[in-house]
Amino acid sequence: MKKLKLLDIASALGISKTTVSKVLNNYSDVNQFTRIKVLDYVRKVGFEPNRQASFLRTKKTKTVALILPRLENDFFTKIQEGILKVSQENDYSLSVATSYDCFETEKKLVSQFLNRNVDAIFLSISHQTINFDHLIEIQKQGKILVLFDKIEKTLDCPKVIIDDRKASFIATEHLIKNGCKQILHFRSGYKPQISIDRYLGYRDALNKYNIPFDKEKVIVCEITDEKNGFSAAKKAFELGMKIDGLLAGSDHAAIGAIQFFKNKKLSIPKDISVVGFGNWKLSKFSTPSLTTVDQSAIQMGEEIFKIFLEEKLLESRDESPSNKTHTLSANLIVRESSTKNL
Amino acid sequence: MKKLKLLDIASALGISKTTVSKVLNNYSDVNQFTRIKVLDYVRKVGFEPNRQASFLRTKKTKTVALILPRLENDFFTKIQEGILKVSQENDYSLSVATSYDCFETEKKLVSQFLNRNVDAIFLSISHQTINFDHLIEIQKQGKILVLFDKIEKTLDCPKVIIDDRKASFIATEHLIKNGCKQILHFRSGYKPQISIDRYLGYRDALNKYNIPFDKEKVIVCEITDEKNGFSAAKKAFELGMKIDGLLAGSDHAAIGAIQFFKNKKLSIPKDISVVGFGNWKLSKFSTPSLTTVDQSAIQMGEEIFKIFLEEKLLESRDESPSNKTHTLSANLIVRESSTKNL
DNA sequence: TTCTTTATCGAAATCGATTTCGAATCTCTT
DNA sequence: AAGAGATTCGAAATCGATTTCGATAAAGAA
């Protein structure tokens, strides 16, 4: 029960494998009767050409690679889901890997994927990445690079991000309109662009409503998980801050903080209104349910793959990569944790 | 800036590409001085052989494929996480796809992956799958097949499952020990093995504690999501059942049911104790927090890949696939939703 | 010294497709 | 009827590695 080869088809039909290949690749110099004969036979025996051989010849693998900083994260999972949906529809294969937010791992993965001749690499840069030579190498080798989420502006490739600054602005504005005047903000590190943008959006809103900015009210949590959310809230408390609102860096951090506030017998949202970030599944089911920013990650994933397809078109016309930054808008999902007047 | 080929290395060193290849593949008929010379040079220029070419020759792609019924599901996400961790450590590439629980899609994916010459396919069978020829084909082509979660016992390949029957037994026993005597059970369809096993575990526990089984108390939800959990609870209510416990088919279904019970002013766990299934993230943060069965999915993923490695060993010794069913134990995580005496 | 063995190397075949280019046939002008 | 042009085909080169097998030289045995 060996696998059929091009040659088997050809000799069965009494023609050359060249012609069979031409039919399968829609060459025009094939008589329509032979074409039909081949197509019928191919369909009948269910022949599919060995991809490996054609990859070697054409240098195209119909495979795209996705490198995520981590997997245990709804946001990235959804991005994968979006990419997978569209890539599968287009008969592309998707290879997934995680950098575990480690620079060395990221470099190694990129090099491995290049060796495997993937057509494109979709990447959210790791926290630790400090140098971008490995990404430039991707383009040097004629592969398509699409950055998303944690991007690097100086690189000459299409980028997809959420408008975090605006989202953060809207979330903060929502708190203000609900009567908050002392708004705490948990941000992740100083470097990540998303952290910067969210911080700026927060300040934009304070500015617009003439609320004085208080440096102390911005607390850095390198990783915005429950534990850090909890301890950040504790820290604010111990510093004796007066607080009536919180814009957290993630739903998890928000929930950690709520946990702390509850322990202190504070009522959410009456005493402190809270807004998270991410619209993770748990945000809907926590008590109180959490107002949060939905990042429409699935849509982002779909967008990423579509951009890749466009880039391929550009490339086929010998044009250079687009370099455009695609900004998707996030939207606020208002739930119990921030609606004092309910 | 072209990519280096074997021939480039060879002529730079004044030897043949055969010898270079032999060094890289640890052949013994190479002089140790030439070997070192080659290795040094290869390291210096950072040469890596074109995978596509070697794949064509060797028929091994160092790629494994994972086909999941769906992605928006913590359980499968964690399985992927486990597989990815170990596969990455072993320099394997992981291709992911979803069947969307559709038989046709599953068949198509399997055929595509076979054409791409993946070394193994890891698969959780789709709900709709009624025929297994496509899976037998995997083995006919000498590829390794590992089934998990939704498996098919008649197939001759290694399988990895959770001991759902026992887990379900423990969960039900836990409810009984907490004083429940009228335990509702939501199960998914009649065919899936996990649904059957969980149902059996439920009955095992009833038997052990001499609690009469009431057919009416088992409600089928094809898809165990919140909506169906909600309506299943509603149905039980409308049928006028007396209930003091619920073993749901998933955390989501449990939470949907809790939502309904809350609407009816019933207290959880006082009036009705609830146990979910899956230990999804939200279970920890729902109110009340949800007692649930943790399926240790990450570990399951790791196990799957390790089994693949073992199978490869078997294969290299020309032995037939192992056919063993690996049963991992799940453990109960007790939280508020089921502890009446707190 | 002659014959065997062993160590080391490389030419050539191979994997299975794609693609170039020239040959053969047929049609259509003039 | 001859030449131009279009149509259809296939032999052979190619992609870049792996692997077989024979050649050569060196070492050891008789």
Side-chain angles (χ1 to χ4, degrees):
Chain A
M1 193 50 127
K2 277 247 212 97
K3 281 210 82 179
L4 289 175
K5 309 191 298 177
L6 218 41
L7 189 59
D8 300 323
I9 310 292
S11 41
L13 295 174
I15 55 180
S16 80
K17 61 176 184 167
T18 304
T19 305
V20 180
S21 172
K22 282 179 176 174
V23 170
L24 264 25
N25 291 287
N26 282 317
Y27 275 64
S28 59
D29 62 343
V30 177
N31 180 289
Q32 59 160 322
F33 295 111
T34 9
R35 182 180 297 275
I36 290 171
K37 192 170 67 176
V38 170
L39 286 178
D40 281 350
Y41 187 78
V42 160
R43 220 183 321 260
K44 200 182 77 187
V45 298
F47 167 78
E48 291 190 66
N50 179 323
R51 291 276 193 176
Q52 241 59 50
S54 89
F55 291 165
L56 174 59
R57 186 68 232 249
T58 62
K59 310 281 181 205
K60 300 280 169 200
T61 51
K62 276 225 154 201
T63 300
V64 292
L66 173 63
I67 303 180
L68 298 170
R70 22 200 74 256
L71 267 187
E72 68 282 13
N73 179 314
D74 278 4
F75 178 64
F76 290 129
T77 300
K78 282 185 188 170
I79 287 189
Q80 178 185 336
E81 195 180 329
I83 294 178
L84 188 55
K85 178 168 175 288
V86 194
S87 63
Q88 216 165 289
E89 284 167 8
N90 285 274
D91 284 328
Y92 271 77
S93 175
L94 175 68
S95 277
V96 183
T98 44
S99 64
Y100 298 105
D101 263 325
C102 163
F103 181 36
E104 287 307 319
T105 308
E106 183 178 296
K107 276 204 291 189
K108 187 178 160 199
L109 288 173
V110 165
S111 137
Q112 284 180 345
F113 279 130
L114 285 180
N115 253 103
R116 283 169 177 274
N117 260 301
V118 295
D119 296 344
I121 294 182
F122 307 145
L123 173 78
S124 177
I125 298 174
S126 98
H127 264 301
Q128 290 178 19
T129 299
I130 40 170
N131 167 298
F132 305 102
D133 292 346
H134 58 306
L135 304 186
I136 293 170
E137 180 66 20
I138 297 175
Q139 299 183 299
K140 266 196 197 156
Q141 295 200 13
K143 309 300 179 190
I144 292 169
L145 170 65
V146 181
L147 293 177
F148 62 91
D149 190 45
K150 252 171 267 152
I151 64 170
E152 167 60 31
K153 285 186 177 160
T154 63
L155 286 174
D156 215 23
C157 68
K159 307 167 194 77
V160 190
I161 50 170
I162 307 282
D163 192 341
D164 273 295
R165 183 165 180 170
K166 190 170 152 211
S168 184
F169 170 83
I170 293 174
T172 312
E173 182 176 49
H174 166 77
L175 284 172
I176 294 171
K177 286 187 173 169
N178 266 270
C180 301
K181 295 196 179 318
Q182 307 282 341
I183 303 174
L184 194 61
H185 175 42
F186 297 167
R187 61 177 291 182
S188 57
Y190 285 114
K191 285 163 294 175
Q193 194 62 43
I194 51 167
S195 172
I196 297 171
D197 286 341
R198 290 178 189 178
Y199 166 72
L200 290 175
Y202 162 79
R203 295 213 48 179
D204 289 346
L206 295 187
N207 275 342
K208 176 162 175 193
Y209 293 92
N210 293 314
I211 297 179
F213 167 66
D214 173 6
K215 204 167 57 182
E216 259 201 338
K217 290 213 169 62
V218 176
I219 300 183
V220 174
C221 322
E222 278 301 335
I223 297 167
T224 54
D225 59 4
E226 294 131 46
K227 220 173 48 186
N228 287 333
F230 188 94
S231 36
K234 193 172 164 197
K235 185 175 163 196
F237 208 81
E238 288 169 351
L239 289 171
M241 285 188 206
K242 285 273 171 227
I243 290 155
D244 55 12
L246 164 62
L247 176 69
S250 77
D251 285 350
H252 282 154
I255 281 171
I258 288 177
Q259 217 93 340
F260 176 82
F261 295 144
K262 276 186 181 171
N263 289 356
K264 290 292 170 189
K265 302 294 175 203
L266 290 167
S267 154
I268 314 291
K270 212 181 276 178
D271 297 325
I272 302 181
S273 294
V274 177
V275 176
F277 232 107
N279 190 23
W280 294 27
K281 278 181 206 132
L282 59 93
S283 64
K284 191 172 166 190
F285 299 103
S286 68
T287 308
S289 62
L290 191 63
T291 295
T292 186
V293 176
D294 179 73
Q295 299 173 290
S296 50
I298 295 185
Q299 189 200 329
M300 185 162 170
E302 297 177 3
E303 188 70 14
I304 290 169
F305 193 86
K306 287 176 191 162
I307 289 170
F308 154 68
L309 291 180
E310 287 164 21
E311 288 296 302
K312 236 180 31 129
L313 278 184
L314 281 187
E315 202 186 56
S316 69
R317 280 184 270 130
D318 264 334
E319 298 175 33
S320 47
S322 83
N323 190 29
K324 189 175 153 195
T325 298
H326 303 249
T327 307
L328 305 182
S329 60
N331 39 354
L332 190 71
I333 297 183
V334 178
R335 297 209 188 92
E336 295 164 358
S337 71
S338 69
T339 43
K340 291 195 206 285
N341 30 6
L342 278 190
Chain B
M1 192 50 130
K2 276 245 210 101
K3 281 211 84 180
L4 288 175
K5 309 191 298 178
L6 216 43
L7 188 59
D8 299 325
I9 310 293
S11 40
L13 295 174
I15 56 181
S16 80
K17 60 177 185 169
T18 304
T19 305
V20 179
S21 172
K22 282 179 176 173
V23 171
L24 264 25
N25 290 289
N26 281 319
Y27 275 64
S28 59
D29 62 342
V30 177
N31 179 290
Q32 60 159 324
F33 295 111
T34 5
R35 182 180 296 275
I36 289 170
K37 191 169 68 174
V38 170
L39 287 178
D40 280 351
Y41 188 78
V42 160
R43 219 182 324 258
K44 201 183 76 187
V45 298
F47 169 77
E48 291 191 66
N50 179 324
R51 291 277 193 173
Q52 241 58 52
S54 89
F55 291 164
L56 174 59
R57 186 69 230 251
T58 62
K59 310 278 180 209
K60 301 277 171 204
T61 52
K62 276 226 157 199
T63 300
V64 292
L66 172 64
I67 303 180
L68 298 170
R70 23 200 72 258
L71 268 186
E72 68 281 14
N73 178 314
D74 278 4
F75 177 65
F76 290 129
T77 300
K78 282 185 187 169
I79 287 189
Q80 178 186 336
E81 195 180 329
I83 294 178
L84 188 55
K85 176 167 174 290
V86 194
S87 63
Q88 215 165 290
E89 284 167 10
N90 286 274
D91 284 329
Y92 271 78
S93 174
L94 174 68
S95 276
V96 183
T98 43
S99 64
Y100 297 106
D101 262 325
C102 163
F103 180 37
E104 288 306 319
T105 308
E106 182 178 295
K107 277 205 291 190
K108 187 178 159 196
L109 287 173
V110 165
S111 137
Q112 284 180 347
F113 279 130
L114 285 180
N115 253 98
R116 283 169 178 273
N117 261 301
V118 295
D119 296 344
I121 294 181
F122 307 146
L123 174 79
S124 178
I125 297 175
S126 98
H127 264 299
Q128 289 178 18
T129 299
I130 40 171
N131 167 297
F132 305 102
D133 291 346
H134 59 307
L135 303 186
I136 294 170
E137 180 67 20
I138 296 175
Q139 299 181 302
K140 268 198 195 154
Q141 295 199 15
K143 309 299 179 190
I144 292 169
L145 170 64
V146 182
L147 293 177
F148 62 91
D149 190 44
K150 253 171 269 154
I151 65 169
E152 166 60 33
K153 284 186 177 158
T154 62
L155 287 175
D156 215 24
C157 68
K159 306 168 195 75
V160 190
I161 51 171
I162 307 283
D163 193 340
D164 272 295
R165 183 166 181 168
K166 190 170 153 213
S168 183
F169 170 83
I170 292 174
T172 312
E173 183 177 49
H174 166 77
L175 284 172
I176 295 171
K177 284 187 173 167
N178 264 269
C180 300
K181 295 196 179 317
Q182 310 282 342
I183 303 173
L184 192 61
H185 175 42
F186 297 166
R187 60 178 291 182
S188 57
Y190 285 114
K191 287 163 294 176
Q193 195 62 41
I194 51 166
S195 171
I196 298 172
D197 287 341
R198 290 179 189 178
Y199 166 72
L200 292 174
Y202 163 78
R203 295 214 48 178
D204 289 346
L206 295 186
N207 275 341
K208 177 164 175 196
Y209 293 93
N210 294 315
I211 296 180
F213 167 65
D214 174 6
K215 203 167 58 184
E216 259 202 338
K217 289 212 171 59
V218 177
I219 300 182
V220 174
C221 320
E222 277 302 333
I223 297 166
T224 53
D225 59 5
E226 294 133 46
K227 219 171 50 182
N228 288 332
F230 188 93
S231 36
K234 193 173 163 194
K235 185 175 163 193
F237 208 81
E238 287 168 351
L239 289 171
M241 287 187 204
K242 285 274 170 227
I243 290 154
D244 55 10
L246 164 63
L247 176 68
S250 77
D251 285 351
H252 282 155
I255 281 171
I258 288 177
Q259 216 92 338
F260 176 81
F261 295 145
K262 275 186 181 172
N263 288 355
K264 291 290 170 190
K265 303 293 173 202
L266 291 166
S267 154
I268 314 291
K270 212 181 275 178
D271 298 324
I272 303 181
S273 293
V274 178
V275 176
F277 231 106
N279 189 22
W280 294 25
K281 277 181 207 133
L282 59 93
S283 65
K284 192 170 164 193
F285 299 102
S286 69
T287 309
S289 62
L290 191 64
T291 295
T292 187
V293 176
D294 180 74
Q295 299 172 288
S296 50
I298 295 185
Q299 188 200 327
M300 185 163 171
E302 297 176 4
E303 188 71 14
I304 290 169
F305 192 86
K306 286 176 190 160
I307 289 170
F308 155 68
L309 291 179
E310 287 164 21
E311 287 296 301
K312 236 177 33 130
L313 278 183
L314 280 186
E315 203 186 53
S316 69
R317 279 184 268 128
D318 264 333
E319 300 175 33
S320 48
S322 83
N323 190 28
K324 189 174 152 196
T325 299
H326 303 248
T327 307
L328 305 183
S329 61
N331 40 354
L332 190 71
I333 297 182
V334 178
R335 297 209 187 92
E336 295 165 358
S337 71
S338 70
T339 42
K340 290 196 207 284
N341 29 7
L342 277 191

